[in-house]
Amino acid sequence: MSPSIEEVVLAEPRGFCAGVDRAIEIVERALAKFGAPIYVRHEIVHNTYVVDDLKAKGAIFIEDLADVPPGATLVFSAHGVSQAVRREAKERGFSIFDATCPLVTKVHVEVAKLHREGYEFIMIGHKGHPEVEGTMGQLSEGIHLVEDVADVADVQVRQTEKLAVVTQTTLSVDDAAEILAAVKRRFPLVREQKQQDICYATQNRQDAVKLLAPKVDILIVVGSPTSSNSNRLRELAERLGTEAYMVDGPSDLKPQWFEGKRQVGLTAGASAPNILVEQVIERLRALGAVSVRHMPGVVETIEFPLPKGLKLG
């Protein structure tokens, strides 16, 4: 059976968020102003295309600050860094530009403030993710990671009167709510943030998939394997009963996925550039897609300011 695609339906919103836009622009402006190489701690955002493009322009991505020569320009990735990394970078004398997403910085600021007031923390997030390492690394102790409901039962805190919960910004909204409910059952006095930590872009893209997935036969998510928010979109569609695949680009699409599929949904994680979406659409047209339709959705207008010292001209 050959693909029988009639229509591609595009989720709205999809693709780059304000924090990703800002992070990429910081690296590009640093390259334009100071010249190559510009060193970046960790992938600036979790997307292969973006990282390869910046490498070609002169960015060098490192994990260990010992790999950065003295006096070099260093950019912290959008995911944020620990206090230990900040101290080491300062001690090594780098010229530093911080591309941490302002919504991640907001979590860091809240952790520091409440820590001064004597709070301990439970963090809901994925172990090993750079954002989680950065947030937990704001403190030397007193912050406990839970990845799922089962982990909540194992948390050992020193006291329960001053306990706060924070969240990785790119989690599944539904999963985070389920884990938070378990935290509140075990620790009824736990302090929640006034505004949830999961970012607006993660929420909006998941809401769009909730609307789109039941209306299509298959959903394609454009995003790299390391992208947390992209993975959550694929998982969400599958949970809603829709066959879903995540692709880094058009070459990952397999014709057999589309056999007997008339309606194809298409979205992209917050770190995936629109050029990849366009390339995937072209590949779907080559597989027989007749039309492309935009689903109505939230229009995002948020912009974040750049750090001082990066104005051009």
Side-chain angles (χ1 to χ4, degrees):
M1 190 187 294
S2 59
S4 52
I5 305 167
E6 289 181 359
E7 185 177 55
V8 177
V9 186
L10 293 174
E12 291 288 355
R14 65 184 180 282
F16 278 179
C17 62
V20 165
D21 263 333
R22 174 179 179 270
I24 294 168
E25 189 171 356
I26 286 170
V27 178
E28 289 182 333
R29 285 198 177 214
L31 284 162
K33 186 163 185 176
F34 307 112
I38 296 294
Y39 290 83
V40 185
R41 187 189 179 276
H42 193 68
E43 292 186 347
I44 186 70
V45 298
H46 284 157
N47 184 268
T48 307
Y49 180 96
V50 170
V51 169
D52 288 348
D53 183 57
L54 291 173
K55 280 180 182 174
K57 294 174 180 174
I60 297 175
F61 294 89
I62 55 92
E63 298 293 333
D64 189 339
L65 297 187
D67 295 334
V68 184
T73 299
L74 175 69
V75 177
F76 293 144
S77 83
H79 313 96
V81 296
S82 67
Q83 288 297 324
V85 168
R86 287 188 183 278
R87 283 193 298 271
E88 184 185 349
K90 194 172 179 182
E91 287 164 6
R92 289 180 179 272
F94 304 136
S95 176
I96 300 166
F97 291 98
D98 190 354
T100 302
C101 174
L103 298 177
V104 175
T105 299
K106 180 176 77 73
V107 178
H108 291 186
V109 169
E110 185 75 3
V111 166
K113 173 179 167 287
L114 291 178
H115 175 65
R116 289 192 295 272
E117 296 174 18
Y119 275 82
E120 267 184 274
F121 298 87
I122 292 172
M123 177 161 197
I124 301 172
H126 296 296
K127 186 176 182 179
H129 190 279
E131 183 192 328
V132 170
E133 291 177 348
T135 299
M136 295 192 64
Q138 298 306 299
L139 305 179
S140 56
E141 61 177 2
I143 186 162
H144 312 274
L145 180 65
V146 296
E147 295 190 87
D148 53 35
V149 169
D151 285 346
V152 176
D154 298 328
V155 172
Q156 300 296 321
V157 295
R158 291 194 300 269
Q159 46 79 33
T160 58
E161 290 74 31
K162 287 193 169 185
L163 187 64
V165 64
V166 293
T167 308
Q168 181 182 336
T169 63
T170 54
L171 295 181
S172 156
V173 175
D174 296 334
D175 286 351
E178 187 182 352
I179 298 167
L180 176 60
V183 171
K184 288 162 73 173
R185 281 195 298 273
R186 183 164 176 215
F187 303 107
L189 300 177
V190 72
R191 175 182 174 137
E192 295 177 68
Q193 305 304 345
K194 293 186 186 75
Q195 286 184 305
Q196 67 163 18
D197 295 329
I198 293 175
C199 86
Y200 77 94
T202 297
Q203 173 92 54
N204 288 346
R205 279 150 192 72
Q206 289 180 22
D207 287 347
V209 165
K210 285 180 181 178
L211 286 173
L212 177 59
K215 298 175 181 175
V216 296
D217 301 312
I218 183 173
L219 182 80
I220 302 300
V221 179
V222 180
S224 290
T226 49
S227 168
S228 173
N229 76 88
S230 301
N231 276 291
R232 303 297 80 77
L233 296 176
R234 178 187 54 76
E235 290 170 0
L236 176 58
E238 288 177 341
R239 189 177 297 175
L240 293 167
T242 303
E243 190 177 335
Y245 300 94
M246 195 166 76
V247 299
D248 230 340
S251 62
D252 291 342
L253 294 171
K254 293 182 168 51
Q256 60 265 33
W257 293 347
F258 305 100
E259 291 175 1
K261 307 292 198 301
R262 295 181 180 277
Q263 300 281 119
V264 176
L266 180 58
T267 189
S271 50
N274 193 54
I275 188 171
L276 293 179
V277 175
E278 296 296 333
Q279 290 172 359
V280 167
I281 289 171
E282 286 309 305
R283 177 66 181 134
L284 290 171
R285 286 189 190 278
L287 289 171
V290 178
S291 64
V292 177
R293 174 168 63 88
H294 289 254
M295 188 182 78
V298 173
V299 176
E300 295 173 345
T301 57
I302 291 175
E303 293 181 12
F304 295 130
L306 295 170
K308 290 173 182 168
L310 282 180
K311 285 185 179 172
L312 301 176

